[in-house]
Amino acid sequence: MARLASFSPQSAKLRVALLAASAAACLAVQADSLFAPSATQADQVWRLPAPPMPADNMTTPSRVELGRALFFDPRLAGSGAMSCATCHNPSLGWSDGLKTAIGANGKVLGRATPTITNTAYNTQFMWDGRKKSLEDQALGPMQSRDEMASDMHGMSQRLASVQGYAAMFAAAYPGQPISSDTIAKAIAAFERTIVVRNTAFDRWLDGDAQALNQQQWRGYKVFNDPVKGNCVACHSAPNFTDNGYHNVGLNPAGNGDMGRYAIRQVASLKGAFKTPSLRDIAATAPYFHDGRMADLAQVVDYYERIGVHRTEGLSPSIRPLQLTVQDKQDLVMFLQALSSPSQSYAVPSLPQ
Amino acid sequence: MIRSDRYLTGLGALILVVAASVYAAQEHAVIQKGKAFSVKRLNVKIGDSVKFVNEDPYTHNVFSLSDAKSFDLGSHGQGVSRTVSFDKAGTIEVECAVHPEMRMIVEVSK
């Protein structure tokens, strides 16, 4: 009754105003706490520089344009029905969304199609590192009978007979013949433009503290913590790869696919495969060299499991992890923050 | 006096010869840190050994497939060291199996 007695339109307005002000203040505090702390100097190791390029194949617009056309051109395959983009599909994170690739005549191949995103930064090529450079790698699928099964000499002659290509090669590599060498160089020059370094995480590194939320930032801490995720032991700065080879337990002691051991006969390399980069990782499911895991949560669960139930030949870098359910959710959210903004990709008209 | 001088000179020469013939093998240390060996090239003598010390928080695996010396020190984690001795002259390319960019040369001479 006393409260009713004190009621007046003025005091009611005041209360409403105070409530609104306090609610706004609460929301502001809450909003601040949703975002990550600012990136520190130590975090800057993750900043990705502009991609390097070899002295004998410097990137130029005409080389990239030629390489893009070649990349999407099915006339490069022996069958005339398969291009680089058949497996490295821009709509599927420059991969194919399959567990393992499908090659010539529908043959199911043994390993997953790696994305070409950020391969510009790689020093190791293919899952087992058997190729020495991006140029060398570009030729691999064409020369493989199980993949594009190209007749390199015949294909070079065929491209030379296409007026549009003759002009593009002359502009890109003046004075050089249309050959395996210039085809590989042009494709590699194009691939060096498929770079992701504008993810939410990269924007956070650039000083946009609101680019990462608290959960993603916690996931970043789990990623780096040697007791928790320890992901950084192999997925190291700045491109989330150590350009190294590890047996992560999928092929114990090289049972089945021997991986890197086929290239370097060192015991620990049995069943070891190259560490993939993680930028745009959310776009390239399924995961691992044989596409065994359907999503990132499964990958995190797998590493937690294999760290305890260790298999023969497992890399000692893979430790038992101390992860809570929350840690694992945070880690997956951080991996999602390594995605570039979704955008359409315009495929080129091919020279005739 | 002359005879004793000659005796001493002869004895000194003998000691020098013996010392030279029983060269004490040395152990050299190479650190693995930041995915790199601490030296790019190391000159050693036959009989010397090299201790590879891992100061990185992840695994390394030093090996060589060179003709002069083929060896595999296996996976070794942080703080662990592995030693290999060299018993033949030659140029030995040493690598890390995990991180192929880690390379160095051990030059073994007589």
Side-chain angles (χ1 to χ4, degrees):
Chain A
M1 288 299 289
R3 295 182 76 183
L4 280 174
S6 68
F7 175 82
S8 72
Q10 288 80 6
S11 64
K13 277 184 186 171
L14 184 63
R15 282 182 191 177
V16 169
L18 282 171
L19 276 172
S22 62
C26 282
L27 281 174
V29 170
Q30 206 173 13
D32 280 344
S33 67
L34 284 175
F35 297 119
S38 297
T40 66
Q41 192 59 40
D43 296 318
Q44 299 305 317
V45 294
W46 293 98
R47 286 185 78 136
L48 204 51
M53 58 188 96
D56 67 346
N57 191 27
M58 299 296 280
T59 302
T60 65
S62 59
R63 290 174 179 178
V64 172
E65 187 188 4
L66 171 61
R68 180 184 290 113
L70 293 168
F71 190 88
F72 284 93
D73 197 333
R75 290 172 290 185
L76 268 62
S79 65
M82 178 184 258
S83 70
C84 306
T86 302
C87 295
H88 300 285
N89 185 337
S91 302
L92 293 166
W94 299 96
S95 183
D96 55 14
L98 300 169
K99 280 190 169 186
T100 60
I102 294 178
N105 303 314
K107 182 175 181 180
V108 177
L109 306 180
R111 294 177 186 166
T113 300
T115 181
I116 62 162
T117 299
N118 285 5
T119 48
Y121 299 91
N122 284 4
T123 61
Q124 308 295 311
F125 300 91
M126 302 288 190
W127 281 108
D128 55 15
R130 65 184 182 276
K131 295 294 184 180
K132 303 294 181 199
S133 66
L134 207 47
E135 283 77 2
D136 191 16
Q137 175 169 25
L139 288 176
M142 285 184 260
Q143 293 170 332
S144 166
R145 293 176 65 181
D146 284 341
E147 298 182 50
M148 294 172 75
S150 312
D151 164 15
M152 295 307 294
H153 181 66
M155 187 248 287
S156 300
Q157 288 183 322
R158 189 175 173 189
L159 292 179
S161 71
V162 177
Q163 202 173 7
Y165 266 128
M168 290 173 83
F169 272 97
Y173 297 99
Q176 297 182 51
I178 297 177
S179 65
S180 297
D181 183 51
T182 45
I183 291 168
K185 282 182 170 176
I187 292 173
F190 164 66
E191 290 179 329
R192 287 193 180 94
T193 67
I194 309 303
V195 169
V196 168
R197 53 182 187 134
N198 61 337
T199 68
F201 178 64
D202 294 301
R203 294 195 299 279
W204 176 73
L205 292 173
D206 283 343
D208 180 1
Q210 298 190 2
L212 280 193
N213 64 33
Q214 274 282 338
Q215 186 176 20
Q216 291 163 332
W217 182 77
R218 288 198 308 267
Y220 169 56
K221 293 294 168 190
V222 172
F223 186 93
N224 283 297
D225 190 330
V227 177
K228 287 183 175 281
N230 196 36
C231 316
V232 73
C234 304
H235 294 285
S236 52
N239 196 28
F240 290 91
T241 175
D242 58 357
N243 282 299
Y245 300 89
H246 308 267
N247 181 324
V248 297
L250 296 163
N251 294 63
N255 189 15
D257 191 336
M258 295 292 268
R260 176 69 172 165
Y261 185 79
I263 310 302
R264 275 276 188 273
Q265 281 74 49
V266 178
S268 69
L269 294 176
K270 290 179 180 174
F273 295 87
K274 188 181 69 178
T275 308
S277 171
L278 297 179
R279 278 187 176 82
D280 248 0
I281 191 69
T284 62
Y287 301 107
F288 290 126
H289 71 276
D290 56 5
R292 203 176 301 190
M293 300 297 161
D295 58 43
L296 293 168
Q298 280 190 17
V299 173
V300 172
D301 285 340
Y302 170 77
Y303 277 119
E304 185 184 39
R305 201 164 58 243
I306 198 71
V308 178
H309 304 289
R310 305 182 73 83
T311 50
E312 189 183 348
L314 183 71
S315 167
S317 288
I318 296 175
R319 303 172 180 172
L321 307 176
Q322 310 286 326
L323 293 173
T324 64
V325 172
Q326 184 68 56
D327 287 338
K328 290 195 284 183
Q329 290 171 352
D330 293 349
L331 187 51
V332 170
M333 290 309 292
F334 169 63
L335 295 172
Q336 299 278 0
L338 298 176
S339 300
S340 56
S342 178
Q343 56 186 356
S344 299
Y345 188 85
V347 298
S349 298
L350 299 180
Q352 301 296 330
Chain B
M1 284 297 290
I2 291 171
R3 285 184 67 183
S4 67
D5 278 355
R6 279 183 183 166
Y7 173 74
L8 285 173
T9 305
L11 184 64
L14 182 65
I15 289 169
L16 279 174
V17 168
V18 170
S21 63
V22 290
Y23 164 76
Q26 291 185 15
E27 183 179 80
H28 308 260
V30 172
I31 310 297
Q32 301 160 83
K33 192 168 187 180
K35 276 184 281 180
F37 291 114
S38 53
V39 290
K40 288 281 181 196
R41 178 177 282 271
L42 184 66
N43 295 315
V44 305
K45 299 282 187 190
I46 290 177
D48 284 1
S49 59
V50 179
K51 181 166 80 171
F52 291 93
V53 186
N54 183 4
E55 291 191 359
D56 273 327
Y58 36 77
T59 306
H60 290 302
N61 185 155
V62 178
F63 79 100
S64 178
L65 300 177
S66 296
D67 291 341
K69 182 76 181 184
S70 178
F71 65 91
D72 176 7
L73 300 186
S75 297
H76 45 282
Q78 185 174 20
V80 177
S81 62
R82 297 278 169 86
T83 303
V84 58
S85 58
F86 296 94
D87 46 15
K88 189 176 166 188
T91 301
I92 292 132
E93 295 175 346
V94 177
E95 302 173 44
C96 172
V98 182
H99 309 103
E101 291 166 87
M102 283 178 66
R103 288 166 175 268
M104 67 169 292
I105 298 286
V106 175
E107 193 72 50
V108 185
S109 59
K110 291 178 183 173

